[in-house]
Amino acid sequence: MNDELDDIYETFRTLLDGFTPVEAVKRLETMRVPSHIIQQIRERHEQQTIQIRELEEPRSVVLGNRDTWYTGPSPRDKCWPAMVGLLQKSGWSEASIAGVDGASTRIVSLLSHPKEKKFSTKGLVVGYVQSGKTTNFTAVMAKAADRGYKLFIVLAGIHNGLRRQTQARLVEQLIGPNPTLWSQLTDLDHDFVPTANAASFFGKSNKTHVLCVVKKNATVLRKFAKWLDSASAYLQDCPALVIDDEADQATVATKTINPRIREILDCLPKSAYVGYTASPFANLLIDPSNDDLYPRDFVVNLPKPEGHFGTEVLFGRYALDGEDPEDVDDGYDMIREVPAEDIDRVRPASRADADGFVPEITATLQKAIRYFWMATAARRVRGTGNPHNTMLIHTSVRTAVHNSFRVPLERLRDGLKAQVADSKVVRELRELWDSEMSRVPSAEFGEVAVDFDELLPHLPGVLDACRIVMDNSSSEDRLDYENGPVVAIAVGGNTLSRGLTLEGLSVSYFVRSVSAYDTLLQMGRWFGYRDGYADLPRIWMTNELSEWFRHLATVETEMRRDIDIYMTEDKDPLTFAVRLRTHPVLRVTQAAKMKDAVKAASSYGGQRVQTRYFRTDADWLLSNQAAAKRLVARAVQHSARRDERPAEGRYVFRGVPYDVVVDFLQQYRFHEESLECNSKLLTQYIEKRVLTAGALGRWNIAIVGNPVSDDPRESFEFAPGVAVRRIIRARLKVSDRDYADIKTLMSRRDAAVDLSGQTSGMDEKKIKSERQKQLPDTGLLVLYPIDKVSEPPPRVKQRRERLDAEEHVIGVGIVFPQPRGEDSQVVEWISADLSGVEIEEEDLSLVEGEG
């Protein structure tokens, strides 16, 4: 009986190639399959779909009434098995292939069945920069083709380089193994050009799938929409999959591209539009009530693949709500500083200075380039991994500036060729290499360090092979990885900042000024995979840019966590709103893309807030010391009870009236970079909770330091008889700031300082639970006396340095109780005045012109 049931189930799966699940069941009925067998077939199919819906990865938020019909590859498939074979030949591990298989199966299951009479699906897939999104959507296309989708349109960015690269990949992985199954409307060298008789591609006599890879260019898309419209009678039964690569670029809130994409979709009665991006900020701010491209049907959050270098890995990030800051990494020591005085020497200060600009090879730029050549030589010693070696220099969007680098770079290369045997030069190279190898131990990445004497013999060959490439919208000399191993220093702007993969990228020199999260994130071409040289990548950039990327890593992590949380809360894309935390200088995305965004409401319920940035001048610090001492004096006077634990460096004053806390928050000077520590918002929230919910009327004030010592010079006295030894909080190494960033202040256990009973070993969840039980309406404010010198311990000296403040620093941490019922909200929108800053926006002029 089981064999018979298996055979009938396979018949049912075969029927699904040509019919919806409902129609397939009807076909079984006409075949006189007994009703109890049909019921078992339905149950088995339902079990299969549940397995797909409940895949642990990728996470997804889905419109509730969507049916899952696709249950994975079938033995009859042709496109997907061929792609698997190619991935295996390319050295992909079985685990990596399984990851692509599972993620693409989940996405295909969210498309509409190709045999539905009419559909318009809209979804979004969120990946990571340079993380294999192209492989994922190629797999989705392969599986959709195997199930009957006919027309495949890929919107491949706004530059010819990315369009060509995408076309080449699809030809290799989809068309090459099964050429008789496909027709192409575009090729490697030509974007879409209308052909005669469009209907011939979509009539019943053409059994092939149709592929079109087009740029997001107004003229090209207009021609394509008109061409499709000419075949409208034949498109009624033509299921189409539209993949929008870099879906946040040009697609959202543009007067030319957005309407053209919607025109194309209007020509297709059966269409599935799926946007792919690593920076979905703009896409998640589209007004979902308009007839636009908001991902109303699904949002899929692809997991970060193993071995991927992402924002957080390189730059670290800040702790999110509920995380212990001690558990959040600072990132690898791979970022090198470009001093502020170098910027005007490698990039014109204004638009007027661009013409005739001649860049200097500054000391840091020379160091970056020399390191690149040595890293390439070291990779030749190893002889493993990606055969290509690329360095990126990105200082400006302007092509005149790119071109001005050619002569200085060629002189530098030719000069080192002539001096590579000079003892002084060899000594300089050795010192640079040994210094870099000591800062990033190869063993941490499973690699064996390459000694300078091993790489030196390979250096002349590297210099001979190295090309200087200007890759921009007007250059003819482009990066080309199709004709053997490449060694290249690529100087460019927008053509190198979106989607395009820089093969074997190991060194980046980046000082470009941008104003939005998505633009900045997409310019990080150094993200991706570094098989065989994970210890070698280095990035030279300004400290300001480094901090921006750290902030961005925090935004990214928080956004993805929101998607995961909404998945477990039974939300769908029309009832969830991903929060995007703001920044004092960076915009979330271009202003036009935020026109439908609402003001963000801040609620502090259940959150921990802590100071991270501090000025180091005496007046500012003494003012905060005075505010802290006044707070403790009033806490001593007004507290209902006090717990003194000087042997632990702890004091707790319980039941302090809220107005004492409000007065302190108004007197204490938070640094303007500490966005979460907004005195106005904090006091408004406390007062609102007291008035509307009867909560936060009483507070516990704690002091957290180290146990007092015999040396009174090590202590900080808040009030007579209330003193602790100062704590150490070293600053991150950022030399061109006039303030300190300590990154972490509170530890997890500090949030339990006022709890009764045994609290050691509690995790974050348990601490929150205990606070809700013991102190459901009481807030906690913690004061930290930080030593003004704060010498970092040896284990963190690579990323930290002495605090070196003029006076001792007072840090503040606040723990708000989880509200019972609805929380209160206070609203503020933070916007930066960028009028005086020379900012280079993403150049979208190419979307208007001829293809």
Side-chain angles (χ1 to χ4, degrees), residues 539-556:
I539 304 168
W540 271 260
M541 61 170 44
T542 63
N543 285 325
E544 180 182 52
L545 278 168
S546 181
E547 188 279 327
W548 288 4
F549 273 106
R550 181 179 285 116
H551 172 83
L552 205 51
T554 311
V555 173
E556 259 196 299

Side-chain angles (χ1 to χ4, degrees), residues 662-680:
V662 167
D663 288 346
F664 167 74
L665 293 175
Q666 292 172 339
Q667 293 164 6
Y668 182 91
R669 297 165 71 179
F670 293 100
H671 194 278
E672 54 268 23
E673 290 281 344
S674 296
L675 297 181
E676 293 174 335
C677 301
N678 182 307
S679 178
K680 179 182 172 185

Side-chain angles (χ1 to χ4, degrees), residues 223-279:
K223 290 176 183 176
F224 186 52
K226 186 176 180 181
W227 183 82
L228 282 175
D229 190 55
S230 71
S232 58
Y234 295 88
L235 292 172
Q236 300 304 310
D237 193 27
C238 176
L241 175 59
V242 179
I243 300 290
D244 188 350
D245 194 13
E246 307 298 335
D248 64 298
Q249 185 191 36
T251 294
V252 183
T254 49
K255 294 180 180 178
T256 53
I257 301 304
N258 180 275
R260 301 292 83 78
I261 294 174
R262 287 192 280 161
E263 279 178 13
I264 290 169
L265 295 176
D266 288 343
C267 293
L268 302 168
K270 301 167 74 166
S271 70
Y273 167 90
V274 183
Y276 276 76
T277 181
S279 46

